[in-house]
Amino acid sequence: MKTLRKFLALLLTLSLLTAPALALTADQAYELLETYYVDAIPARVLDQTTVEEMLAALGDPYTEYFDAETYTAFMDSMKDTVTYGIGVTMQEEEGGLRVTGVLPGLGAEKAGIQTGDLITAVDGESVIGAPLETARSWIFGEEGTQVRVTVSRSGKSITYTVTRAKIVIEATSSTLVDGHIGYILCTTFGPETYGHFADGIEEYDNQADRWIVDLRGNGGGDVEASVQSVGAFVGSGDLAYLMDGEGRYGVYANETGSLTLDPVIVLADAYTASASEMFSFIVRDRQAGLIIGERTYGKGVAQILLDDSVEPDYFEDGSALKVTAYRVFSPDGATDDRVGVIPHLLVDAGLAADVAYLLSASNPRGDTRGLLRFDMGWRWYVDLSTSASEDFLPAFTALLEAIPESARLWLGTGGADGWRQITAGEVAEQYGLTGYVSRAFSDTADSPYAAPISALGTYGIVAGPGDGSFLPDETLTRGQLCSLLAQALRYTSDRTGTFADVPASVYYAPAVEAMYAAGLVTGGSDGLFRPDDAVDHQQYMTILARCARRLSMNFVGATPESGVLEQEVLAPFAPWARENVWLLEGSQTNILGQGVSLLWESLTDIAPTAPTTRAEAAAGLYSLLAYTGILPA
């Protein structure tokens, strides 16, 4: 087994490239999988006779074989794109192609074409009614050649002769917004990415006091590129961990200091994956800023690329095999596998940029009036006049709905330090935001676990029956517990019929199948699951402890010292439950070396065989997610 650092480790989502013609033999593929794959190889894989069949039987969408041509295209997909044209961006309209941007220094700008012009013809051929890609193909051409472009501007038709040039479309680009917000759009992490980050920060940091990094739709790329790029904001140190199939750890470290001292907002969506998730959770763990948007994809595994530079005896023809070889952990030890990265502010991805813009007002100088201050890690300021404008009302409403109760919100009252604490609901009422809907439950105010239940509700981790209530005092059944945890951890399964008493038609059936497949719950030897049975406290703690080992490397391999499980405090618990209870109660310490309990109340106050309520289950889950850092609140 090679060391972790010798490989080009990649965190990538599904490849969109065409299926390759296979040259690697099935026997060779099995040898490589046995050496590098992160998990044990199922017996069914060995039974297959072709590489294609083996990979299908493996069932890992990230382990792929590339022929030479496809491998070249795959590697090129992480680089800047080179094309040839006149240097405009366009969108299709009824009367032609509207110029939405003119790139500096290229043919269109030199000829006199302007943003807002409507292209009506190319070389005398009307573009009206022509498909966008067809019209674009008329404009593209060899470097140095010329094309006649007719535009309509203010009712006049003007024809320009434009010289085509080479255009590099950078996978990462930077700009300055409103004179003080640095905005970086990153579509992939590849060889040029860090250089683009460094160039953008160097160009704008003297003017910027806030940074926004847009990773929406970014499916991943090279680990080193992600670590280097996020290091521009968080500085040096160990930023990510990779664990191989033998339980050995490697570390990805950044050795250079930060390039800016200003906070960063990361924009994320459901397609933010892999290396982009790594970037996001490093920002989260290092408290370098906020993540805004949707819960990310949840790909907490990393691949290695086996090619002729790593295994020359297998890939002389230029082909390659991408193999899932590692599990990925954040600086604080948490995984994003399946669970994804949960944003600090959970909002629709389409509103994320506007929400980030609202939070990027500069620090007040002399007078706080007209500002809203949001404290979460850093102090973020919102210009209320901008927020209340028609264009930003949807984003303002989404922002207020997403603020967790644990955060602090302040209204500026004047002077340099004049602030009055206020709630999101009060702000919404004051500004007449009729679309505002609180994410709080209607029946938890009197529960001792109201705060953790509210936090889980704000982040969409738990839900009630759909009428705004949570039913905190109801006893939790085995089926309901599976539903709660599968939703929280995003575990899914295509299996059906594992248990005779869990028909596919019941709402919790997919969750039971998923939790069972993950090894987090078990059934009886009689093939029954008994979904309507109540879950007692020691059963719930056992399942929660299993989740802990999946969610954070801080729990992996934790074993009690001799005699610990014989302590008097554990005596009331069944022998099969004691180690799991200890894992939650006695295995963790804080930075001062003091013990940390992840239970919802003192262990001595928990009756092992008493039924678990929905509120207790939520409180225990919150403790685990908050301690591991998966929950940002």
Side-chain angles (χ1 to χ4, degrees), residues 4 36-39 240-252 300-302 324-329 549 552-553 556-557:
L4 297 176
Y36 295 105
Y37 195 65
V38 68
D39 293 326
Y241 299 94
L242 296 162
M243 183 179 72
D244 68 13
E246 297 179 16
R248 298 179 300 192
Y249 287 93
V251 61
Y252 275 94
V301 290
T324 297
Y326 312 113
R327 300 200 178 280
V328 181
F329 298 94
R549 289 190 171 96
S552 174
M553 70 181 193
V556 176

Side-chain angles (χ1 to χ4, degrees), residues 115-336:
T115 298
D117 286 350
L118 187 67
I119 298 176
T120 57
V122 176
D123 281 336
E125 187 79 25
S126 175
V127 302
I128 299 173
L132 176 61
E133 290 307 313
T134 299
R136 283 165 55 91
S137 69
W138 298 341
I139 295 175
F140 293 157
E142 295 182 8
E143 184 177 11
T145 61
Q146 292 185 327
V147 59
R148 289 182 297 112
V149 179
T150 302
V151 305
S152 175
R153 181 192 305 156
S154 302
K156 296 182 179 180
S157 180
I158 311 171
T159 297
Y160 295 97
T161 299
V162 187
T163 301
R164 298 182 178 103
K166 177 180 178 181
I167 303 171
V168 178
I169 303 174
E170 297 178 349
T172 302
S173 59
S174 305
T175 190
L176 190 69
V177 178
D178 283 0
H180 74 101
I181 304 171
Y183 173 81
I184 298 176
L185 173 64
C186 179
T187 60
T188 189
F189 286 98
E192 299 99 343
T193 305
Y194 174 71
H196 291 320
F197 268 80
D199 290 345
I201 293 173
E202 180 181 4
E203 181 174 0
Y204 298 122
D205 197 47
N206 285 340
Q207 302 168 73
D209 54 19
R210 298 287 188 275
W211 285 92
I212 297 174
V213 175
D214 195 340
L215 298 183
R216 290 174 296 178
N218 185 322
D222 178 28
V223 170
E224 289 282 7
S226 175
V227 169
Q228 286 181 328
S229 299
V230 76
F233 299 98
V234 305
S236 60
D238 296 343
L239 299 184
Y241 299 94
L242 296 162
M243 183 179 72
D244 68 13
E246 297 179 16
R248 298 179 300 192
Y249 287 93
V251 61
Y252 275 94
N254 181 48
E255 298 177 354
T256 59
S258 61
L259 302 182
T260 178
L261 299 178
D262 298 312
V264 60
I265 295 176
V266 178
L267 306 184
D269 64 9
Y271 304 101
T272 300
S274 307
S276 298
E277 292 177 290
M278 175 179 284
F279 188 107
S280 302
F281 67 51
I282 293 171
V283 168
R284 176 197 67 197
D285 284 11
R286 286 299 187 91
Q287 299 181 17
L290 293 178
I291 305 165
I292 297 177
E294 297 169 346
R295 200 165 168 179
T296 64
Y297 184 85
K299 182 180 176 288
V301 290
Q303 287 67 50
I304 57 172
L305 278 173
L306 305 176
D307 57 14
D308 60 351
S309 68
V310 179
E311 293 285 1
D313 294 338
Y314 293 82
F315 301 106
E316 295 179 354
D317 62 344
S319 62
L321 183 67
K322 177 163 67 76
V323 180
T324 297
Y326 312 113
R327 300 200 178 280
V328 181
F329 298 94
S330 75
D332 287 347
T335 184
D336 64 301

Side-chain angles (χ1 to χ4, degrees), residues 494-510:
D494 294 330
R495 296 184 184 183
T496 58
T498 299
F499 300 104
D501 57 348
V502 183
S505 59
V506 297
Y507 77 91
Y508 52 75

Side-chain angles (χ1 to χ4, degrees), residues 6-156:
K6 287 189 67 176
F7 296 122
L8 172 62
L10 296 171
L11 290 166
L12 296 158
T13 52
L14 290 173
S15 172
L16 299 179
L17 304 175
T18 56
L22 304 179
L24 192 71
T25 69
D27 287 342
Q28 290 175 323
Y30 189 78
E31 291 173 5
L32 294 172
L33 290 175
E34 277 282 280
T35 302
Y36 295 105
Y37 195 65
V38 68
D39 293 326
I41 307 298
R44 64 179 181 274
V45 175
L46 185 58
D47 296 336
Q48 310 305 314
T49 57
T50 68
V51 176
E52 187 175 26
E53 292 172 344
M54 290 178 67
L55 297 184
L58 184 64
D60 179 355
Y62 312 119
T63 296
E64 301 177 81
Y65 178 75
F66 302 132
D67 65 11
E69 182 180 355
T70 309
Y71 182 45
T72 299
F74 173 77
M75 296 303 291
D76 287 345
S77 70
M78 292 183 290
K79 300 177 181 178
D80 294 342
T81 301
V82 177
T83 188
Y84 298 90
I86 64 173
V88 296
T89 57
M90 304 170 292
Q91 66 181 25
E92 192 173 5
E93 290 188 7
E94 184 176 349
L97 303 176
R98 182 71 64 185
V99 176
T100 58
V102 179
L103 301 181
L106 297 176
E109 183 188 58
K110 292 177 180 178
I113 294 176
Q114 301 175 12
T115 298
D117 286 350
L118 187 67
I119 298 176
T120 57
V122 176
D123 281 336
E125 187 79 25
S126 175
V127 302
I128 299 173
L132 176 61
E133 290 307 313
T134 299
R136 283 165 55 91
S137 69
W138 298 341
I139 295 175
F140 293 157
E142 295 182 8
E143 184 177 11
T145 61
Q146 292 185 327
V147 59
R148 289 182 297 112
V149 179
T150 302
V151 305
S152 175
R153 181 192 305 156
S154 302
K156 296 182 179 180

Side-chain angles (χ1 to χ4, degrees), residues 361-374:
S362 296
N363 296 354
R365 290 178 172 84
D367 196 344
T368 65
R369 280 175 296 190
L371 292 177
L372 191 66
R373 193 183 92 203
F374 170 53

Side-chain angles (χ1 to χ4, degrees), residues 371-492:
L371 292 177
L372 191 66
R373 193 183 92 203
F374 170 53
D375 293 355
M376 197 171 191
W378 294 70
R379 289 184 173 182
W380 308 91
Y381 297 96
V382 177
D383 185 305
L384 289 168
S385 62
T386 300
S387 302
S389 65
E390 184 176 352
D391 288 343
F392 284 98
L393 279 180
F396 190 28
T397 302
L399 166 61
L400 295 175
E401 290 176 345
I403 293 175
E405 290 184 0
S406 59
R408 293 290 178 264
L409 203 58
W410 308 83
L411 185 66
T413 59
D417 300 309
W419 299 102
R420 173 173 63 85
Q421 191 166 346
I422 193 170
T423 68
E426 290 170 340
V427 176
E429 183 177 0
Q430 180 175 332
Y431 282 86
L433 303 181
T434 56
Y436 171 83
V437 178
S438 172
R439 296 179 187 174
F441 294 105
S442 61
D443 58 350
T444 58
D446 295 331
S447 171
Y449 311 115
I453 295 171
S454 175
L456 293 180
T458 298
Y459 288 106
I461 303 297
V462 299
D467 59 359
S469 66
F470 182 71
L471 309 178
D473 299 324
E474 282 200 1
T475 297
L476 198 68
T477 67
R478 286 168 55 82
Q480 290 170 345
L481 174 61
C482 288
S483 183
L484 182 151
L485 292 178
Q487 175 177 318
L489 307 181
R490 294 204 304 195
Y491 275 55
T492 60

